[in-house]
Amino acid sequence: MAMKRIAVMTTGGDAPGMNAAVRAVVRYATNNKVEVMGVFRGWWGLINEEMKLFDHRSVSGIINEGGTILKTMRCPEFETEEGQKRAHDNIKKHAIEGLIIIGGDGSFRAAHSFYKRYATPCIGIPASIDNDINGVYTTIGSDTAINTALTAIDNIRDTATSMERIFVVEVMGRHSGYIALQVALGGGCEEAIIPEKKYDLNNICHDIVNGNLRGKISWIIVVAEGAGSATEIARQIAELTTLETRAVVLGHIQRGGRPTAFSRTLALRLGQAAVEHLLKGDADKAVSSRNGRVELVDFETAIQKKALEADALYNLIRVLT
Ligand code: F6P
């Protein structure tokens, strides 16, 4: 029997483009005569019955907005049997037949566990600035975050060259150096410190001092938050080189802002694909797009740790310095 009502939610850390994905889900489903409940604050909203019926106009004017109109949060309660039971009771109460989860690997882990317990059909749309979902080529929001960080790096470059200083810039990426590598390469930075690669601060300082002797005065070193603290690394560099060094932590600036064209179009395409697959009977999977073609990735695969192919980009950063 065809589904009559589905629900959509955003969970975990927000990512620019989530709103575009919500828009695509709501409009594509309602155009196909399927009702959509918008659930607020992710799993928490399912547990606490914070949801309402959305229509075409509920998602007007949000395509260019960062963040998520559905709000989002991390919800430890959903990891408990009792939390999942309450969510399931509310799903039944509101006659919801399928779920679309827009979020990262933590969201998919929760969806997979819920599917195993209650077999509620569930499709994931990958959204995370970190681009760290296994089997997923690229996530909604990561292109925007990289461009935001790159603009900041370009600004830092101006003052770094003018005042002939060393800068250590910390970007997001709890377990992944993806953002750091992309912005270090695109920003023409001298070094990237990432969780996937061991680094030796003495070697880096040696390079800085040698460069300094040759007349290269300013440096930008990008560090992924999962690999170390910019403040601490800058302090050590200043101590070891005796050169003027500053630390900048870009932080949550990278999570906000208007989604880029790439993040929006990816979100719209995946929103449509998620509805299509849910209505076709697929479940326990995420949609992903590679070279414009949509693929399905099992949640079981998506929740494994993603290995970042760091060497080629890292070597290019170093070669071009
Ligand atoms: O997962 C995305 C992310 O932005 C990470 O890069 C970062 O470590 C984390 O979320 C920050 O989470 P919170 O906003 O809860 O501090």
Side-chain angles (χ1 to χ4, degrees):
M1 266 253 296
M3 282 185 191
K4 291 198 176 69
R5 179 179 283 184
I6 62 172
V8 62
M9 66 174 105
T10 49
T11 83
D14 54 285
M18 277 182 159
N19 277 329
V22 173
R23 175 181 184 268
V25 168
V26 171
R27 293 208 168 158
Y28 191 73
T30 50
N31 285 347
N32 284 281
K33 313 244 172 307
V34 178
E35 288 182 337
V36 183
M37 294 289 277
V39 180
F40 295 94
R41 299 181 185 84
W43 302 111
W44 184 93
L46 263 193
I47 294 173
N48 294 288
E49 235 183 315
E50 281 247 0
M51 51 184 109
K52 71 170 193 194
L53 210 51
F54 271 37
D55 62 19
H56 201 85
R57 298 206 27 211
S58 316
V59 291
S60 292
I62 64 168
I63 193 168
N64 54 348
E65 299 293 341
T68 160
I69 58 161
L70 289 176
K71 314 285 185 201
T72 185
M73 61 184 274
R74 300 195 170 94
C75 178
E77 199 184 344
F78 193 72
E79 288 164 26
T80 67
E81 209 176 315
E82 172 56 21
Q84 292 200 2
K85 183 178 175 314
R86 282 178 59 192
H88 185 251
D89 289 347
N90 286 328
I91 284 174
K92 290 287 157 208
K93 180 172 167 188
H94 291 275
I96 294 164
E97 294 166 283
L99 298 177
I100 292 187
I101 314 299
I102 305 170
D105 59 341
S107 313
F108 295 172
R109 196 163 292 114
H112 183 52
S113 134
F114 192 59
Y115 181 78
K116 281 200 289 188
R117 183 165 280 140
Y118 291 110
T120 306
C122 184
I123 294 285
I125 300 181
S128 159
I129 64 163
D130 291 351
N131 196 23
D132 59 350
I133 304 180
N134 190 43
V136 168
Y137 178 64
T138 185
T139 53
I140 295 165
S142 106
D143 180 67
T144 307
I146 287 163
N147 279 293
T148 302
L150 202 52
T151 303
I153 297 271
D154 288 346
N155 291 356
I156 290 166
R157 166 86 54 210
D158 292 343
T159 177
T161 25
S162 304
M163 296 199 70
E164 303 185 312
R165 281 171 168 167
I166 302 162
F167 273 82
V168 183
V169 184
E170 185 178 313
V171 297
M172 273 191 168
R174 220 177 340 198
H175 308 294
S176 170
Y178 183 79
I179 297 177
L181 280 181
Q182 297 288 326
V183 302
L185 183 61
C189 302
E190 282 70 24
E191 183 65 75
I193 298 178
I194 55 172
E196 292 82 358
K197 256 188 141 31
K198 281 210 169 76
Y199 71 97
D200 182 336
L201 210 53
N202 287 313
N203 285 346
I204 293 176
C205 289
H206 185 258
D207 285 352
I208 292 173
V209 170
N210 273 346
N212 197 271
L213 292 173
R214 291 195 314 269
K216 177 172 173 46
I217 312 287
S218 74
W219 282 63
I220 299 181
I221 298 164
V222 180
V223 54
E225 62 171 337
S229 140
T231 312
E232 180 52 24
I233 292 172
R235 191 193 61 73
Q236 289 180 30
I237 291 177
E239 201 175 286
L240 290 167
T241 63
T242 69
L243 295 170
E244 254 202 307
T245 309
R246 296 286 186 271
V248 178
V249 179
L250 296 185
H252 288 77
I253 287 169
Q254 295 157 96
R255 281 245 291 265
R258 291 190 182 275
T260 55
F262 184 85
S263 290
R264 292 183 205 192
T265 51
L266 178 67
L268 297 167
R269 182 75 188 94
L270 292 184
Q272 176 205 23
V275 174
E276 270 173 357
H277 282 287
L278 190 62
L279 299 185
K280 249 202 308 193
D282 288 310
D284 200 27
K285 293 174 186 355
V287 284
S288 162
S289 170
R290 189 189 300 263
N291 301 327
R293 283 192 44 217
V294 173
E295 305 168 344
L296 286 177
V297 181
D298 290 338
F299 278 158
E300 189 68 56
T301 303
I303 62 180
Q304 307 302 321
K305 185 165 171 37
K306 182 174 188 173
L308 178 68
E309 302 291 339
D311 286 349
L313 284 192
Y314 181 79
N315 292 338
L316 189 55
I317 291 164
R318 298 292 298 143
V319 162
L320 299 180
T321 291

